[in-house]
Amino acid sequence: MTFLALDVGNTRLKWALYDAPCVGATLLASGAQFLENIETLEEGDWSTLPPPRWVLGCVVAGDAVKRRVEEQLELWDVTPRWVVSSISEAGLLNGYDHPARLGSDRWVAMIGARQRLLANGPKRPCVVVMVGTAVTVEAIDTEGRFLGGIILPGHGIMLRALESGTAGLHVPTGEVCDFPTNTSDALTSGGTFAIAGAVQRMVENLRRHCGEEPVCYMTGGAGWKMAPSMSTQVELVESLIFDGLLEIADQRLALTSST
Ligand SMILES: Nc1ncnc2c1ncn2[C@@H]1O[C@H](COP(=O)(O)OP(=O)(O)OP(=O)(O)O)[C@@H](O)[C@H]1O
Ligand SMILES: CC(C)(CO)[C@@H](O)C(=O)NCCC(=O)O
Ligand SMILES: [K+]
């Protein structure tokens, strides 16, 4: 009954194998590979896994990368399913102008967040932050309607853009501090505060819109680096995308088995 969940981002592929395709399933194994190393999966990390019965993933890295992942999956006799953002799924309503154009990683992370929120207490507004190659900050109202969200460059892209667009900004990574007094610290703190400030602003927007204090969940490869520098209260949940994929698999399989 094993279930393989895949999160193919713009920098890395993250995978997690569970004992079943349902919420609360046990994690059996997990890992990550940079996109340039996808071809190592079949004979490497995946070669010793028990064959998954279902594979569900989200991919935002483009069709060429998706095909390379599908080639590695030929190791097993299983057809991978890829999430496409829709008008509604798993209790969440999609307010995007063109729902299918919303990045499926954003949609899946929001589904994971909403499910976590409802499992932990009464309905509340929710901000979902993903800190990856790009950073996204989403707003979900009390009833589970995705109102909209923002996309900004991730820390790495911000610094590379500054490096390539200026003559004098080639320095090692610095420390985050309130009042930076050298170039390294100024750049590192600038990128960090840009992300923290964007989150603070979205929390304010959502609080004003809903008249209630939002919960804020943060996920993504660089989440742990951002967490200490946030100005608003955030809960770091590394597994948000996998939680969302489990929730979707759970609901879809419940639907097929009841019809
Ligand atoms: N101090 C920092 N604070 C925040 N982000 C940072 C910091 N240092 C590096 N980053 C950036 O964070 C980004 C996230 O990296 P990582 O590959 O771990 O995330 P990811 O969630 O796997 O991304 P994706 O899903 O887009 O592939 C990278 O672009 C990296 O440059
Ligand atoms: C914004 C990213 C890059 C974040 O991973 C991804 O979700 C994406 O490519 N989205 C498509 C555009 C959109 O969400 O509006
Ligand atoms: K991602």
Side-chain angles (χ1 to χ4, degrees), residues 7 9-10 14 60 105 130 132 241:
D7 166 20
N10 280 295
K14 280 79 63 185
V60 296
D105 56 341
M130 268 203 294
I241 287 196

Side-chain angles (χ1 to χ4, degrees), residues 120-132:
N120 288 338
K123 293 192 278 192
R124 276 171 68 181
C126 180
V127 168
V128 181
V129 185
M130 268 203 294
V131 199

Side-chain angles (χ1 to χ4, degrees), residues 92-97 106-107 110 125-127 137-150 202 205-210:
L92 208 66
L93 269 182
N94 191 343
Y96 230 44
D97 293 347
R106 302 173 64 188
W107 183 235
M110 284 192 271
C126 180
V127 168
V137 188
E138 328 288 5
I140 306 168
D141 76 5
T142 317
E143 298 308 317
R145 181 178 219 289
F146 166 50
L147 300 173
I150 58 173
M202 190 57 96
N205 288 357
L206 189 59
R207 182 193 297 126
R208 198 181 334 104
H209 181 88
C210 296

Side-chain angles (χ1 to χ4, degrees), residues 7-14 32-35 60 105 130-135 154-157 159-160 173-174 176 188 191-192 195 219-226 241:
D7 166 20
V8 189
N10 280 295
T11 304
R12 297 185 307 160
L13 175 156
K14 280 79 63 185
Q33 281 295 347
F34 285 97
L35 298 188
V60 296
D105 56 341
M130 268 203 294
V131 199
T133 312
V135 174
H155 211 277
I157 290 178
L159 296 203
R160 284 199 296 281
T173 306
V176 176
T188 299
T192 300
I195 297 169
T219 195
W224 63 275
K225 283 188 208 158
M226 276 305 304
I241 287 196

Side-chain angles (χ1 to χ4, degrees), residues 48-203:
T48 53
L49 294 182
R53 169 88 169 71
W54 293 277
V55 178
L56 183 66
C58 54
V59 51
V60 296
D63 281 339
V65 171
K66 184 168 146 182
R67 275 195 297 276
R68 289 168 54 210
V69 176
E70 285 174 340
E71 270 171 34
Q72 299 299 299
L73 290 166
E74 284 169 11
L75 169 64
W76 302 299
D77 181 24
V78 65
T79 308
R81 304 267 170 231
W82 301 104
V83 174
V84 177
S85 307
S86 60
I87 290 178
S88 83
E89 178 136 28
L92 208 66
L93 269 182
N94 191 343
Y96 230 44
D97 293 347
H98 300 277
R101 291 189 196 167
L102 175 71
S104 57
D105 56 341
R106 302 173 64 188
W107 183 235
V108 169
M110 284 192 271
I111 289 172
R114 179 71 179 173
Q115 179 237 315
R116 170 171 289 262
L117 182 138
L118 294 180
N120 288 338
K123 293 192 278 192
R124 276 171 68 181
C126 180
V127 168
V128 181
V129 185
M130 268 203 294
V131 199
T133 312
V135 174
T136 54
V137 188
E138 328 288 5
I140 306 168
D141 76 5
T142 317
E143 298 308 317
R145 181 178 219 289
F146 166 50
L147 300 173
I150 58 173
I151 303 170
L152 58 154
H155 211 277
I157 290 178
M158 285 192 219
L159 296 203
R160 284 199 296 281
L162 280 168
E163 248 183 31
S164 68
T166 61
L169 296 180
H170 303 279
V171 290
T173 306
E175 299 291 328
V176 176
C177 47
D178 282 350
F179 307 106
T181 52
N182 60 69
T183 312
S184 290
D185 292 354
L187 286 168
T188 299
S189 305
T192 300
F193 293 170
I195 297 169
V199 174
Q200 184 181 332
R201 177 63 184 268
M202 190 57 96
V203 168

